[in-house]
Amino acid sequence: MNIFENYSDKIRKILFELSEINELILPEKLNGITTEIPPSKFNSDISTNVAMVLSKINKISPMDLAKTLSDKIKKSDKLIEEISIVNPGFINIKFKPIFWTKFIEEVNLNFNTFGINSNKKKKNYLVEFVSANPTGPLHVGHCRGAILGDVISNILLFNKHNVTKEYYVNDYGNQIINFTKSVYFRIREISFNEPFPVNNGDLYPGDYIIDIAHNIIKSKKNIDFKNFENISEQLTILSVEESLKLIKKNLYSIGIKHDNFISEKNLVLNDEVKKVINHLKKYNYVYKGKIKAPKGEDNKNWIEREQLLFKSTEFGDDKDRVLKKSDGSWTYFASDVAYHKNKLDRNFDCLINILGADHAGYIKRISSSVDALSNTKGKLICKVSQLVKLIKNKKPFKMSKRKGDYITLEDLINEVGKDATRFIMLNRSSDVELDFDFDNVIEKSKDNPLYYVQYCYARICSVFRLIDKDIKKEVKVTKYDFEYSNDEIKILKKISEWPKCIEMSSNRLEPHRIPTYLYELASLFHSYWNLGKENQKKRFINENKEISDDKLVLLKVISSLINSGMSIIGVSTPEKM
RNA sequence: GCGUCUGUAGCUCAACUGGAUAGAGCGCUUGGCUACGGACCAGGAGGUUCUGGGUUCAAAUCCUAGCAGACGCACCA
């Protein structure tokens, strides 16, 4: 039930009819004709720009064309109360109250499909997100991208697409060697009382390494930890396993569960990297050459060498990219190309990568490789989440990896909680930096939009408790023969915008529209609730603890919508607060 | 020097992707509680949408030239 789509279709139909009897000229493609929500001051329900779009080709003024079209529209529809034409040529439609009764009837009877964009083709999506190095637990910096990826997946799932959520495990390369060494030195510290080399900048200083060391010692008593070379391979596997345990626990605590964890190391061991590079060689995208130093930087230490390069410049990148290190091992980029080939071979229609702002410079090269491999453009969509500015005690809080001075995700959840973290992180567009003020987020008050929305749901629950009805059960109304008041129609109009909200969130991969929408809905509800304070008649329940059908079904739909929206963003709706 | 993102009310941000007189929260200010849960509501003040030019019926939005901020720019992943 998408009233904007319905009326868009109706208007198109009228246009085609007029065009057939030569009363209207249509362009080859009907682009740019929209049905929209008019600004509230116009006292109308839906508006269209059709007259302005078609005026030029028909050589009529928009206002005159609007007049002709609005007459036709009004004639074709009994549910329209009034149509007005407003400069410079908008057509504004106002519905009779009965329209909204029919609307809520349909929504209530088919709530499980309400909001779903059913006209879209069902697709297979792969969403890769988090993919943090398996060298320790997640910290606050990973949090926004993690939630963003999760909710984008949820929106696609809500629209009945197939979605695979994937985590790429970078268990290959120098960072992992340093990490394993750090675990090794901690083991020697514990078992042989040797001091941990504090001044070695390559090693990871964090205390969690000690825990990992303890766990490994406990579980593998038969390993001889005296010689690193002998056990490094085994120790790497064990350390990464321990690390992933921590990461999965962190993810679970913010309500995220990936379908797959793909190992970079396995891609290398299965020769997938070698294969993909041979594949690219065939198409002449790989060559040996040198890269010039960038301008404007301190380039004294720059060494130009002959390297194996990928021609990403052919696909819009600013320089070609290195595939093989001088020690003969693959670069991160090379195995990532293999990983993306692996994704493509699994026949997804669309690949989505969620990246942090600090990796935005990586987008061109990886999408170049996907373009080259898939022989099309735009199969990979990269979504960047901007940085989160942490504010504690009204001051920016800087994290420093070297000192081990950073806030882990576990700290964050313990202090703030899953719901508040998710809601606040999602409440802003991912394109803008986010202020995350600890004191503010914890506050259970008016400053916090999360509680504002949850409170709306809890209030409706309290009404259902008083009339002894189960909020989760369907509400059945025998006759939809009532009319809603203007206060109620305001809410119904907002409800009718829900499919539009989902559509935009889904098309542009912009989850922040959902918390914004829920906030607006909650706001209208709170106003509505307060009407009952001044006027007893406007209360939901009368003295005999009875509720009328119109109010019952309205409350039911609002609560279901809040519940449904909150479940998309992964936030709970408590019945009591 | 180059690339990506951002610039909207005192502050934090929306704005249906080109729509109408640019909207919310906080803060400021005036009012409403022995309550269907005040974690709420009603009203007021507050704007040259960073600047200049362009595109058209229409620009915060698109193009262009600048200014300012954030992030990134080798074999670290």
Side-chain angles (χ1 to χ4, degrees):
Chain A
M1 184 60 187
N2 184 339
I3 66 169
F4 297 94
E5 231 164 57
N6 292 355
Y7 274 84
S8 192
D9 290 346
K10 279 189 184 183
I11 289 164
R12 277 160 189 269
K13 207 177 148 201
I14 289 171
L15 295 181
F16 288 129
E17 282 167 11
L18 287 174
S19 148
E20 228 148 78
I21 54 172
N22 293 324
E23 282 187 23
L24 191 72
I25 304 164
L26 295 183
E28 273 185 39
K29 279 188 181 171
L30 274 182
N31 284 334
I33 295 174
T34 55
T35 45
E36 295 173 57
I37 307 150
S40 53
K41 58 204 158 201
F42 288 109
N43 184 33
S44 85
D45 299 323
I46 201 168
S47 90
T48 174
N49 63 353
V50 58
M52 289 176 293
V53 177
L54 295 180
S55 75
K56 199 170 188 179
I57 195 169
N58 283 281
K59 292 173 185 159
I60 316 175
S61 80
M63 292 297 277
D64 289 340
L65 185 55
K67 180 81 185 69
T68 334
L69 292 175
S70 64
D71 288 346
K72 295 274 178 198
I73 295 169
K74 177 140 197 210
K75 246 188 221 169
S76 74
D77 195 327
K78 285 176 186 165
L79 295 175
I80 294 175
E81 184 169 285
E82 194 191 343
I83 295 194
S84 47
I85 301 159
V86 181
N87 261 320
F90 286 100
I91 297 173
N92 288 348
I93 302 173
K94 179 154 179 68
F95 299 119
K96 292 175 183 167
I98 185 76
F99 173 91
W100 294 108
T101 309
K102 284 182 188 293
F103 168 74
I104 202 166
E105 177 178 4
E106 189 152 340
V107 172
N108 187 45
L109 292 176
N110 305 295
F111 190 81
N112 50 355
T113 58
F114 180 53
I116 297 172
N117 302 143
S118 48
N119 55 344
K120 292 273 158 62
K121 233 186 176 182
K122 198 172 157 185
K123 282 186 182 173
N124 292 321
Y125 285 91
L126 179 96
V127 184
E128 184 208 331
F129 61 111
V130 190
S131 298
N133 284 350
T135 55
L138 299 178
H139 56 77
V140 187
H142 298 117
C143 196
R144 192 179 190 187
I147 294 166
L148 183 69
D150 191 46
V151 176
I152 283 175
S153 306
N154 286 350
I155 292 169
L156 296 170
L157 284 167
F158 182 80
N159 272 338
K160 304 290 176 198
H161 296 295
N162 291 322
V163 177
T164 303
K165 304 182 194 178
E166 205 156 277
Y167 188 121
Y168 181 46
V169 183
N170 307 127
D171 51 359
Y172 172 83
N174 290 328
Q175 294 297 337
I176 287 300
I177 294 168
N178 292 336
F179 169 62
T180 308
K181 276 183 186 162
S182 308
V183 174
Y184 178 72
F185 283 119
R186 287 300 186 187
I187 289 174
R188 301 221 25 140
E189 185 183 47
I190 296 160
S191 304
F192 308 110
N193 224 356
E194 287 174 17
F196 185 80
V198 186
N199 292 325
N200 186 337
D202 287 340
L203 296 180
Y204 290 75
D207 286 349
Y208 65 88
I209 303 274
I210 302 172
D211 299 335
I212 290 176
H214 273 295
N215 286 349
I216 290 175
I217 294 168
K218 246 187 256 166
S219 64
K220 300 281 171 189
K221 284 180 182 152
N222 52 346
I223 300 184
D224 177 14
F225 289 111
K226 279 187 185 141
N227 187 321
F228 180 73
E229 301 304 323
N230 291 347
I231 57 159
S232 74
E233 216 167 286
Q234 195 182 2
L235 192 58
T236 305
I237 294 169
L238 292 171
S239 304
V240 169
E241 261 175 22
E242 288 292 325
S243 200
L244 280 176
K245 266 188 216 163
L246 291 173
I247 290 169
K248 284 179 189 174
K249 202 177 138 202
N250 288 157
L251 289 170
Y252 180 77
S253 76
I254 43 170
I256 294 172
K257 193 172 178 298
H258 286 82
D259 299 308
N260 296 329
F261 286 75
I262 302 285
S263 155
E264 179 184 5
K265 193 168 142 194
N266 282 348
L267 294 176
V268 176
L269 292 179
N270 294 340
D271 277 343
E272 291 194 39
V273 186
K274 208 188 270 175
K275 281 176 201 160
V276 78
I277 283 163
N278 285 335
H279 178 89
L280 289 171
K281 267 183 192 163
K282 258 189 235 164
Y283 293 89
N284 239 345
Y285 293 137
V286 173
Y287 69 104
K288 282 201 170 174
K290 291 174 183 173
I291 287 191
K292 281 179 188 164
K295 282 176 189 169
E297 260 198 29
D298 188 9
N299 295 324
K300 284 172 198 160
N301 302 325
W302 189 272
I303 305 160
E304 255 185 41
R305 349 182 146 76
E306 184 139 290
Q307 289 165 304
L308 195 63
L309 301 173
F310 169 63
K311 272 189 200 168
S312 51
T313 45
E314 279 200 15
F315 302 90
D317 201 358
D318 11 296
K319 52 178 124 179
D320 291 337
R321 301 294 171 174
V322 179
L323 294 166
K324 210 171 209 176
K325 300 183 201 172
S326 55
D327 68 1
S329 63
W330 300 111
T331 59
Y332 171 80
F333 175 62
S335 49
D336 206 18
V337 173
Y339 174 42
H340 282 80
K341 173 80 169 115
N342 178 295
K343 287 181 183 177
L344 289 168
D345 288 346
R346 283 183 277 157
N347 285 324
F348 291 100
D349 300 306
C350 182
L351 309 177
I352 297 173
N353 289 4
I354 310 293
L355 301 165
D358 51 342
H359 288 81
Y362 189 74
I363 293 175
K364 272 188 186 167
R365 91 190 64 154
I366 195 65
S367 49
S368 297
S369 77
V370 172
D371 287 353
L373 290 169
S374 65
N375 210 12
T376 52
K377 266 201 148 190
K379 202 148 191 185
L380 173 71
I381 298 170
C382 291
K383 191 82 191 158
V384 174
S385 73
Q386 292 300 318
L387 295 181
V388 176
K389 265 192 284 180
L390 293 171
I391 296 171
K392 264 201 144 178
N393 305 321
K394 300 199 172 174
K395 282 180 192 164
F397 183 89
K398 292 264 178 192
M399 299 202 290
S400 139
K401 200 169 187 179
R402 194 197 255 166
K403 292 183 205 158
D405 185 19
Y406 55 89
I407 302 174
T408 63
L409 199 138
E410 197 181 345
D411 297 338
L412 179 77
I413 299 302
N414 286 341
E415 201 165 332
V416 177
K418 177 190 104 174
D419 285 345
T421 303
R422 290 184 73 114
F423 200 96
I424 302 299
M425 292 266 179
L426 286 167
N427 202 22
R428 302 291 182 219
S429 155
S430 55
D431 287 338
V432 304
E433 280 187 21
L434 182 90
D435 281 359
F436 195 90
D437 186 332
F438 270 73
D439 309 313
N440 216 327
V441 173
I442 298 167
E443 203 178 332
K444 299 200 171 186
S445 79
K446 55 191 173 175
D447 288 9
N448 196 325
L450 164 69
Y451 296 107
Y452 189 82
V453 176
Q454 286 183 328
Y455 188 45
C456 168
Y457 187 78
R459 272 182 152 174
I460 296 175
C461 287
S462 81
V463 173
F464 274 66
R465 267 198 303 278
L466 282 170
I467 56 174
D468 208 20
K469 277 193 189 292
D470 185 350
I471 188 108
K472 303 275 184 208
K473 279 193 185 157
E474 279 180 35
V475 161
K476 282 180 185 156
V477 173
T478 42
K479 258 191 181 173
Y480 288 82
D481 57 355
F482 38 76
E483 276 190 11
Y484 283 107
S485 70
N486 283 334
D487 302 315
E488 290 157 335
I489 287 174
K490 267 188 208 165
I491 299 179
L492 287 161
K493 280 166 75 169
K494 182 54 73 179
I495 292 171
S496 76
E497 292 168 22
W498 175 238
K500 223 174 185 181
C501 173
I502 289 293
E503 189 181 4
M504 285 188 290
S505 310
S506 152
N507 287 349
R508 306 290 303 179
L509 306 178
E510 291 177 342
H512 74 276
R513 291 169 188 280
I514 292 173
T516 305
Y517 174 88
L518 293 173
Y519 186 90
E520 287 164 359
L521 180 63
S523 174
L524 289 170
F525 172 78
H526 287 309
S527 302
Y528 181 46
W529 175 284
N530 273 60
L531 292 175
K533 301 202 163 174
E534 288 167 21
N535 186 346
Q536 284 281 335
K537 285 181 190 163
K538 293 198 173 177
R539 296 193 166 202
F540 304 132
I541 306 172
N542 66 18
E543 300 81 9
N544 305 324
K545 299 215 165 179
E546 291 161 341
I547 188 168
S548 58
D549 280 351
D550 56 337
K551 295 202 161 58
L552 180 67
V553 71
L554 180 59
L555 289 186
K556 172 61 187 172
V557 168
I558 297 170
S559 68
S560 302
L561 195 44
I562 298 262
N563 196 45
S564 168
M566 292 288 255
S567 77
I568 291 175
I569 62 175
V571 175
S572 72
T573 45
E575 299 191 2
K576 284 182 181 173
M577 293 170 69

